[in-house]
Amino acid sequence: GFMMNTYYIASCVFTWHYPELSQMIQQYMTAHGIQVVRCCVPKYKLPHFTGLMPDSYKEQWQSLPDCADFQPGDTVYSLCHNCSAILEESKPGVTVTSLWEYIASDGAFPLPDLTGRTMILQDCWRAFDRRGEQDAVRSLLRRMGISIEELPDNREQTNFCGVSVLRPAPPRNLKLAPQRFSRNANAKDKFRDCTPDEQKQLMTEYCQRFHGNEVVSYCHYCMEGLLLGGARAVHLAELLFQHRESFRT
């Protein structure tokens, strides 16, 4: 019969950068009866990403399904804005929702009490129009007791996604999510090919706006740029799961 399935995409890139956090999130989703898969498309660079995982985790990562046959009516939760865009544009009828919206709706989630902390919130260009996700992020931060400092170019005004927009876009993304990554007016100035030195200089200049204050982000590409630019940055997942993890490269 017709079965609607619910999936969580662990994300190859997030899991490479944050393998411990990724496993914590995967355990949480699995405990909620949600099927965990690695990526949004089948067979995507499997040996490459397995090779980037810590040795102690390689086997476990390979034992996860690489993808699923997503069908109309299915729900897919994601913390990768590329996965979200690709599924949205290539799988009509599949509901794609952010991990943050799922956690925000879970009344039993053990949110830590971080009362007294103030953080600047960095929105992500890849999710510039995802108001539900942006609202969920703010709700979670507030419920942890964090005072949010908004940037002037927040929400749909943001143009930031770290150095991921200062290098050519992966052809897969342009092919499978052309609307977001090439047709949108705000994509026009993105993906220019900058040298590593130029990337570092641009990120360092960008991060001066934070004046050394703490920044919170919900995108691993944003994190890469914030850390390169010298910002005191933390990934939202590190706060929610009470686990600080150094960003692996």
Side-chain angles (χ1 to χ4, degrees), residues 185-219:
N186 67 7
K188 293 289 177 277
D189 56 343
K190 307 287 190 303
F191 309 123
R192 49 205 177 97
D193 202 352
C194 296
T195 66
D197 284 350
E198 288 170 325
Q199 292 178 5
K200 187 170 173 64
Q201 189 190 341
L202 288 164
M203 288 301 105
T204 304
E205 286 166 13
Y206 181 85
C207 290
Q208 284 169 356
R209 57 168 52 200
F210 305 127
H211 303 289
N213 296 308
E214 207 168 9
V215 189
V216 60
S217 150
Y218 48 98
C219 163

Side-chain angles (χ1 to χ4, degrees), residues 132-153:
E133 176 170 2
Q134 295 165 357
D135 287 346
V137 166
R138 284 159 174 81
S139 165
L140 288 167
L141 290 169
R142 278 195 297 268
R143 281 153 58 191
M144 289 188 277
I146 295 167
S147 300
I148 303 167
E149 208 174 298
E150 293 278 3
L151 291 169
D153 45 355

Side-chain angles (χ1 to χ4, degrees), residues 13 17 33 44 75 80-81 86 88 90 94 115 120 127 131 135 154 160 183-184 186 192 219 234 244:
V13 178
H17 292 313
Y44 185 64
T75 297
C80 172
H81 296 135
I86 285 168
E88 213 170 52
S90 66
V94 172
T115 305
I120 301 164
R131 175 125 328 224
D135 287 346
N154 69 348
F160 187 79
R183 291 191 202 127
N184 264 342
N186 67 7
R192 49 205 177 97
C219 163
V234 61
R244 289 302 297 256

Side-chain angles (χ1 to χ4, degrees), residues 30-198:
T30 302
H32 284 233
I34 294 166
Q35 300 177 57
V36 177
V37 300
R38 285 184 259 179
C39 189
C40 56
V41 293
K43 307 274 182 283
Y44 185 64
K45 292 188 175 180
L46 299 181
H48 170 76
F49 282 110
T50 298
L52 292 172
M53 299 304 167
D55 288 342
S56 61
Y57 180 56
K58 282 182 168 59
E59 220 169 298
Q60 209 181 324
W61 176 250
Q62 281 182 295
S63 72
L64 287 173
D66 62 307
C67 191
D69 181 20
F70 304 115
Q71 293 296 322
D74 288 348
T75 297
V76 181
Y77 294 102
S78 164
L79 54 35
C80 172
H81 296 135
N82 290 335
C83 293
S84 301
I86 285 168
L87 284 178
E88 213 170 52
E89 294 189 36
S90 66
K91 297 283 179 184
V94 172
T95 302
V96 185
T97 308
S98 70
L99 171 68
W100 322 121
E101 287 163 274
Y102 184 82
I103 294 175
S105 69
D106 174 9
F109 190 89
L111 289 170
D113 182 1
L114 301 175
T115 305
R117 295 195 38 200
T118 300
M119 295 190 189
I120 301 164
L121 176 54
Q122 176 63 68
D123 281 314
C124 172
W125 166 72
R126 291 174 192 272
F128 77 95
D129 53 356
R130 300 196 186 284
R131 175 125 328 224
E133 176 170 2
Q134 295 165 357
D135 287 346
V137 166
R138 284 159 174 81
S139 165
L140 288 167
L141 290 169
R142 278 195 297 268
R143 281 153 58 191
M144 289 188 277
I146 295 167
S147 300
I148 303 167
E149 208 174 298
E150 293 278 3
L151 291 169
D153 45 355
N154 69 348
R155 293 188 182 262
E156 67 283 347
Q157 302 297 311
T158 183
N159 266 304
F160 187 79
C161 192
V163 290
S164 74
V165 293
L166 302 178
R167 57 191 178 215
R172 174 199 75 163
N173 296 359
L174 297 176
K175 184 168 150 249
L176 296 179
Q179 181 55 46
R180 183 164 303 266
F181 296 133
S182 53
R183 291 191 202 127
N184 264 342
N186 67 7
K188 293 289 177 277
D189 56 343
K190 307 287 190 303
F191 309 123
R192 49 205 177 97
D193 202 352
C194 296
T195 66
D197 284 350
E198 288 170 325

